[in-house]
Amino acid sequence: MSEQTLPTTAHAWHLDTRPAGRPTASNFSLREVDLPTPGAGQLLIANDYLSVDPYMRGRMSDKKSYIEPYDVDAPMDGPAVGRVLVSNAQGFAPGDYVVHVLGWRDYAILDAAGAQKVDPNLAPLPAYLGVLGVPGLTAYIGLERFAKIEEGDTVFVSGAAGAVGTQAGQIAKLKGAGLVIGSAGSDQKVKLLIEEYGYDVAFNYKNGPVAEQLAKAAPEGIDVFFDNVGGEHLEAAIGALKLHARIVLCGMVSQYNDEKVVGPRNLWNLSVTRSDILAFMVSEELDLQPDFVREVGGWLAEGRLRYRETVRDGLENTLDAFLAMMRGENVGKMIVKL
Ligand code: NAP
């Protein structure tokens, strides 16, 4: 792109009002904003792929959390992959591809310190938002650092057909787990879990009580629960623990839209089984990134790890993609292609 044709405006999704319960289109707007000239040390980036993630629901609320809320009347942000159009920073040149956090928009200007170069010849660009991005890293960290899988462990993963869940089941197997069980919200997802993502047993949590379906899948109990969902799943898993089991609290997506949440009623079973609940945030465990790149990169190169994205087209459909992901309309990582 020549200097003359560089964009002077961008389009960015704004949070207009904080949602109560499930967000609706009325809480957001896509607005045109001025795009200043990039300053010293900055990059002008054309985004190619945007990520929509469950944690963004938390940022739409102003409840105290581990991350700052989105400001009302301001653009939202999130992971994105884009192409450098202008670089005023050492180490970056036009044509480079970068991962950064100014998503929910078509063009972005950011300090180069906030951009990480990625190689489109090593992996397709959307993979850097999924299997090689935060979701893949989250699954890896949860299992490697917290679940500490032992040979033959029975592992249960909730939200198993999502971006984190499709990787968690496969990584558990690669780390030596025995029986790996997944739950998801449709019969079609359940079929995919078994046929594509290496789960031994899977069930649709909408087809009956989770505790009953889990007891059938793992009559002797579970050693590890990798929880993406919370709520009924968490209580069911606590009730199914073997001795010295580990629950890895990755997320609680079933409750992100809820104003009031109910906790598990059977916490005493943690004492009975001398088990641990371990919570983590990927952002605090980044020292494992080199191991993740080596191990997961190796498995991908050897064809031992499968992944997929569900792709929606166009910036104007970013909000729909987010809402659809929260309703479970994705398999693997939900991505927006610009
Ligand atoms: P995802 O699983 O790809 O997408 C969200 C999924 O949530 C949907 O596909 C849907 O699948 C499921 N869902 C929605 N409502 C539900 C409900 N009421 N009950 C059960 N499942 C429901 O999202 P992801 O990016 O991989 O994230 C998965 C979890 O990991 C989230 O809880 C997220 O917050 C967490 N996370 C944590 C960290 C960390 O650092 N701790 C980092 C990244 C992500 P179904 O069709 O199966 O319902």
Coordinates of all heavy atoms in Angstrom, one line a residue, residues 22 52-55 134-135 138 159-165 183-186 189 205-206 228-229 233 249-256 280-283 325-330 332-334, ligand 1:
R22 N -27.4 -12.0 29.4 CA -26.9 -12.3 28.0 C -26.8 -11.0 27.2 O -27.8 -10.3 27.1 CB -27.8 -13.4 27.3 CG -27.1 -14.0 26.2 CD -28.0 -15.2 25.7 NE -27.9 -16.4 26.5 CZ -26.9 -17.3 26.3 NH1 -26.0 -17.1 25.4 NH2 -26.9 -18.4 27.1
V52 N -12.7 -14.0 19.2 CA -13.7 -13.7 20.2 C -13.6 -14.8 21.2 O -13.5 -15.9 20.9 CB -15.1 -13.6 19.5 CG1 -15.2 -12.3 18.7 CG2 -15.4 -14.8 18.7
D53 N -13.6 -14.4 22.5 CA -13.3 -15.3 23.6 C -14.3 -15.1 24.7 O -14.7 -14.0 25.0 CB -11.9 -15.0 24.1 CG -10.9 -15.1 23.0 OD1 -10.4 -16.3 22.8 OD2 -10.5 -14.1 22.4
P54 N -14.5 -16.2 25.5 CA -15.5 -16.0 26.6 C -15.0 -15.0 27.7 O -15.9 -14.3 28.3 CB -15.4 -17.4 27.3 CG -15.0 -18.4 26.2 CD -14.1 -17.6 25.3
Y55 N -13.7 -14.8 27.9 CA -13.3 -13.8 28.9 C -13.8 -12.4 28.6 O -13.9 -11.6 29.5 CB -11.8 -13.8 29.1 CG -11.0 -13.0 28.1 CD1 -10.7 -11.7 28.3 CD2 -10.6 -13.6 26.9 CE1 -10.0 -10.9 27.4 CE2 -10.0 -12.8 25.9 CZ -9.7 -11.5 26.2 OH -9.0 -10.7 25.3
V134 N -3.5 -18.3 22.7 CA -3.8 -18.4 24.1 C -4.6 -19.7 24.4 O -4.3 -20.4 25.4 CB -4.6 -17.1 24.5 CG1 -5.2 -17.3 25.9 CG2 -3.7 -15.9 24.5
P135 N -5.6 -20.1 23.6 CA -6.4 -21.3 24.0 C -5.5 -22.5 24.1 O -5.6 -23.3 25.0 CB -7.4 -21.4 22.9 CG -7.6 -20.0 22.3 CD -6.2 -19.4 22.4
T138 N -3.3 -22.3 27.1 CA -4.1 -22.5 28.3 C -4.3 -24.0 28.6 O -4.1 -24.5 29.7 CB -5.5 -21.8 28.1 OG1 -5.3 -20.5 27.9 CG2 -6.3 -22.0 29.4
G159 N -16.7 -28.5 28.4 CA -16.4 -27.6 27.2 C -15.5 -28.2 26.2 O -14.6 -27.5 25.6
A160 N -15.6 -29.5 26.0 CA -14.5 -30.3 25.3 C -14.4 -30.0 23.9 O -13.4 -30.3 23.3 CB -14.8 -31.8 25.6
A161 N -15.5 -29.4 23.3 CA -15.4 -29.2 21.8 C -15.0 -27.8 21.5 O -15.0 -27.4 20.3 CB -16.8 -29.5 21.2
G162 N -14.6 -27.0 22.5 CA -14.2 -25.6 22.2 C -12.7 -25.5 21.9 O -12.0 -26.5 21.7
A163 N -12.3 -24.2 21.9 CA -10.9 -24.0 21.5 C -9.9 -24.6 22.5 O -9.0 -25.3 22.2 CB -10.6 -22.5 21.5
V164 N -10.2 -24.4 23.8 CA -9.3 -25.0 24.9 C -9.6 -26.5 25.0 O -8.7 -27.3 25.0 CB -9.6 -24.3 26.2 CG1 -8.8 -25.0 27.3 CG2 -9.2 -22.8 26.2
G165 N -10.9 -26.9 25.0 CA -11.3 -28.3 25.2 C -10.8 -29.3 24.2 O -10.4 -30.4 24.5
S183 N -17.3 -33.5 27.7 CA -18.8 -33.2 27.6 C -18.9 -32.0 26.7 O -18.0 -31.1 26.6 CB -19.4 -32.9 28.9 OG -18.8 -31.7 29.5
A184 N -20.0 -31.9 25.9 CA -20.2 -30.8 25.0 C -21.7 -30.6 24.9 O -22.5 -31.5 25.3 CB -19.5 -31.0 23.7
G185 N -22.2 -29.6 24.2 CA -23.6 -29.2 24.2 C -24.4 -29.7 23.0 O -25.5 -29.1 22.8
S186 N -23.9 -30.6 22.2 CA -24.7 -31.1 21.1 C -24.2 -32.5 20.7 O -23.1 -32.9 21.0 CB -24.7 -30.3 19.8 OG -23.4 -30.4 19.1
K189 N -21.3 -32.5 18.3 CA -20.0 -32.2 18.9 C -19.5 -33.5 19.6 O -18.3 -33.8 19.6 CB -20.1 -31.1 20.0 CG -20.3 -29.7 19.4 CD -20.3 -28.6 20.4 CE -20.4 -27.2 19.8 NZ -20.3 -26.2 20.8
Y205 N -24.2 -32.8 27.5 CA -24.6 -32.4 28.9 C -26.1 -31.9 28.9 O -26.7 -31.8 29.9 CB -23.7 -31.3 29.5 CG -23.8 -30.0 28.8 CD1 -24.7 -29.0 29.1 CD2 -22.8 -29.6 27.9 CE1 -24.7 -27.8 28.5 CE2 -22.8 -28.4 27.2 CZ -23.8 -27.5 27.6 OH -23.8 -26.3 26.9
K206 N -26.6 -31.7 27.7 CA -28.0 -31.3 27.6 C -29.0 -32.5 27.6 O -30.2 -32.3 27.6 CB -28.3 -30.4 26.4 CG -27.5 -29.1 26.4 CD -27.7 -28.3 25.1 CE -26.9 -27.0 25.3 NZ -26.7 -26.3 24.0
N228 N -13.9 -26.1 32.1 CA -14.1 -24.9 31.3 C -15.4 -24.3 31.6 O -15.7 -23.2 31.1 CB -14.0 -25.2 29.8 CG -12.6 -25.6 29.4 OD1 -11.6 -24.8 29.7 ND2 -12.4 -26.7 28.7
V229 N -16.3 -24.9 32.4 CA -17.7 -24.6 32.4 C -18.3 -24.2 33.7 O -19.1 -23.3 33.8 CB -18.5 -25.9 31.8 CG1 -19.9 -25.8 32.1 CG2 -18.2 -26.0 30.3
H233 N -21.5 -28.9 36.1 CA -20.3 -29.8 35.8 C -19.4 -29.9 36.9 O -18.9 -31.0 37.2 CB -19.6 -29.2 34.6 CG -20.1 -29.6 33.2 ND1 -21.1 -28.9 32.6 CD2 -19.8 -30.6 32.4 CE1 -21.4 -29.5 31.4 NE2 -20.6 -30.5 31.3
L249 N -9.3 -25.5 37.5 CA -10.3 -24.5 37.2 C -9.8 -23.6 36.1 O -9.1 -22.7 36.4 CB -10.7 -23.7 38.4 CG -11.6 -24.2 39.5 CD1 -12.0 -23.1 40.4 CD2 -12.8 -25.0 38.9
C250 N -10.2 -23.9 34.9 CA -9.8 -23.1 33.8 C -10.7 -22.0 33.5 O -10.4 -20.8 33.3 CB -9.6 -24.0 32.5 SG -9.2 -23.0 31.1
G251 N -12.0 -22.3 33.5 CA -13.0 -21.2 33.3 C -14.4 -21.7 33.8 O -14.6 -22.9 34.1
M252 N -15.4 -20.8 33.7 CA -16.8 -21.1 34.2 C -17.8 -20.5 33.2 O -18.6 -19.8 33.6 CB -17.0 -20.6 35.6 CG -16.1 -21.3 36.6 SD -16.9 -21.3 38.2 CE -15.8 -22.3 39.1
V253 N -17.6 -20.9 31.9 CA -18.4 -20.2 30.9 C -19.9 -20.3 31.1 O -20.6 -19.4 30.7 CB -17.9 -20.6 29.5 CG1 -18.3 -22.1 29.2 CG2 -18.5 -19.7 28.4
S254 N -20.4 -21.4 31.8 CA -21.8 -21.5 32.0 C -22.4 -20.4 32.9 O -23.6 -20.2 32.9 CB -22.1 -22.9 32.6 OG -21.8 -22.9 34.0
Q255 N -21.5 -19.7 33.6 CA -22.0 -18.7 34.5 C -21.6 -17.2 34.1 O -22.0 -16.3 34.9 CB -21.4 -19.0 35.9 CG -21.7 -20.4 36.4 CD -21.2 -20.7 37.8 OE1 -20.3 -20.1 38.3 NE2 -21.8 -21.7 38.4
Y256 N -21.0 -17.0 33.0 CA -20.5 -15.7 32.7 C -21.6 -14.7 32.4 O -21.5 -13.5 32.6 CB -19.5 -15.7 31.5 CG -18.2 -16.4 31.8 CD1 -17.3 -16.7 30.7 CD2 -17.8 -16.7 33.0 CE1 -16.1 -17.3 30.9 CE2 -16.6 -17.4 33.2 CZ -15.8 -17.7 32.2 OH -14.6 -18.3 32.4
F280 N -5.9 -21.1 37.8 CA -4.8 -20.4 37.2 C -5.2 -19.4 36.1 O -6.4 -19.5 35.6 CB -3.8 -21.5 36.5 CG -4.3 -22.0 35.2 CD1 -3.8 -21.6 34.0 CD2 -5.3 -23.0 35.2 CE1 -4.3 -22.1 32.8 CE2 -5.8 -23.5 34.0 CZ -5.3 -23.1 32.8
M281 N -4.4 -18.5 35.8 CA -4.6 -17.6 34.7 C -3.4 -17.7 33.7 O -2.2 -17.6 34.2 CB -4.6 -16.1 35.1 CG -6.0 -15.8 35.7 SD -7.3 -16.0 34.5 CE -8.7 -16.3 35.7
V282 N -3.6 -17.9 32.5 CA -2.6 -18.2 31.5 C -1.5 -17.1 31.5 O -0.3 -17.3 31.4 CB -3.2 -18.4 30.1 CG1 -3.9 -17.1 29.6 CG2 -2.2 -18.9 29.1
S283 N -2.0 -15.8 31.8 CA -1.1 -14.7 31.7 C 0.0 -14.7 32.8 O 1.0 -14.0 32.7 CB -1.9 -13.4 31.9 OG -2.8 -13.5 33.0
M325 N -20.5 -17.8 19.7 CA -19.5 -18.6 20.5 C -20.1 -18.8 21.9 O -20.0 -20.0 22.5 CB -18.2 -17.9 20.5 CG -17.1 -18.6 21.3 SD -17.1 -18.1 23.1 CE -17.0 -16.3 23.0
M326 N -20.7 -17.8 22.5 CA -21.2 -18.0 23.8 C -22.5 -18.9 23.9 O -22.8 -19.5 24.9 CB -21.6 -16.6 24.4 CG -20.4 -15.7 24.7 SD -19.3 -16.3 25.9 CE -20.2 -16.0 27.5
R327 N -23.1 -19.0 22.7 CA -24.2 -20.0 22.6 C -23.8 -21.4 22.2 O -24.6 -22.3 22.1 CB -25.3 -19.5 21.5 CG -26.1 -18.3 21.9 CD -27.2 -18.1 20.9 NE -26.8 -18.0 19.5 CZ -26.5 -16.8 18.9 NH1 -26.7 -15.7 19.6 NH2 -26.1 -16.7 17.7
G328 N -22.5 -21.5 21.9 CA -22.0 -22.9 21.6 C -22.0 -23.2 20.1 O -22.0 -24.4 19.7
E329 N -22.0 -22.2 19.2 CA -22.1 -22.5 17.8 C -20.7 -22.7 17.2 O -20.6 -22.7 15.9 CB -22.9 -21.4 17.1 CG -24.4 -21.4 17.5 CD -25.2 -20.2 16.9 OE1 -24.8 -19.7 15.9 OE2 -26.2 -19.9 17.6
N330 N -19.7 -22.8 18.0 CA -18.4 -23.1 17.4 C -17.9 -24.5 17.8 O -18.3 -25.1 18.8 CB -17.4 -22.1 18.1 CG -17.3 -22.2 19.6 OD1 -18.4 -22.1 20.3 ND2 -16.1 -22.3 20.1
G332 N -14.0 -25.9 18.1 CA -12.7 -25.4 18.1 C -12.7 -23.8 18.3 O -13.7 -23.3 18.8
K333 N -11.8 -23.1 17.7 CA -11.7 -21.7 18.0 C -12.6 -20.9 17.1 O -12.6 -21.0 15.9 CB -10.2 -21.3 17.7 CG -9.9 -19.8 18.0 CD -9.9 -19.5 19.4 CE -9.9 -18.0 19.7 NZ -11.2 -17.5 20.0
M334 N -13.4 -20.0 17.7 CA -14.2 -19.1 16.9 C -13.3 -17.9 16.5 O -12.7 -17.2 17.3 CB -15.4 -18.6 17.8 CG -16.4 -17.7 17.0 SD -17.2 -18.5 15.6 CE -18.9 -18.7 16.3
Ligands
NAP1 P1 -14.9 -22.2 23.7 O1 -15.0 -23.4 24.5 O2 -14.3 -22.3 22.3 O3 -16.3 -21.5 23.5 C1 -17.2 -21.4 24.6 C2 -18.0 -22.7 24.7 O4 -18.7 -22.6 25.9 C3 -19.1 -22.8 23.7 O5 -18.7 -23.4 22.5 C4 -20.2 -23.7 24.4 O6 -20.0 -25.1 24.0 C5 -19.8 -23.6 25.9 N1 -20.9 -23.1 26.7 C6 -21.6 -22.0 26.6 N2 -22.5 -21.9 27.5 C7 -22.5 -23.0 28.2 C8 -23.2 -23.6 29.4 N3 -24.2 -22.9 29.9 N4 -22.8 -24.8 29.8 C9 -21.8 -25.5 29.3 N5 -21.0 -25.0 28.2 C10 -21.4 -23.8 27.7 O7 -14.1 -21.1 24.5 P2 -12.6 -21.2 24.9 O8 -11.9 -20.0 24.5 O9 -12.0 -22.5 24.6 O10 -12.7 -21.1 26.5 C11 -13.1 -22.2 27.3 C12 -13.0 -21.8 28.8 O11 -11.6 -21.6 29.1 C13 -13.8 -20.6 29.2 O12 -14.4 -20.8 30.4 C14 -12.7 -19.5 29.3 O13 -13.0 -18.5 30.1 C15 -11.5 -20.4 29.8 N6 -10.2 -19.8 29.6 C16 -9.4 -19.7 30.7 C17 -8.1 -19.2 30.6 C18 -7.3 -19.1 31.8 O14 -6.2 -18.5 31.7 N7 -7.7 -19.6 32.9 C19 -7.6 -18.8 29.3 C20 -8.4 -19.0 28.2 C21 -9.7 -19.5 28.3 P3 -21.2 -26.2 24.2 O15 -21.9 -26.3 22.8 O16 -20.4 -27.4 24.6 O17 -22.1 -25.7 25.2

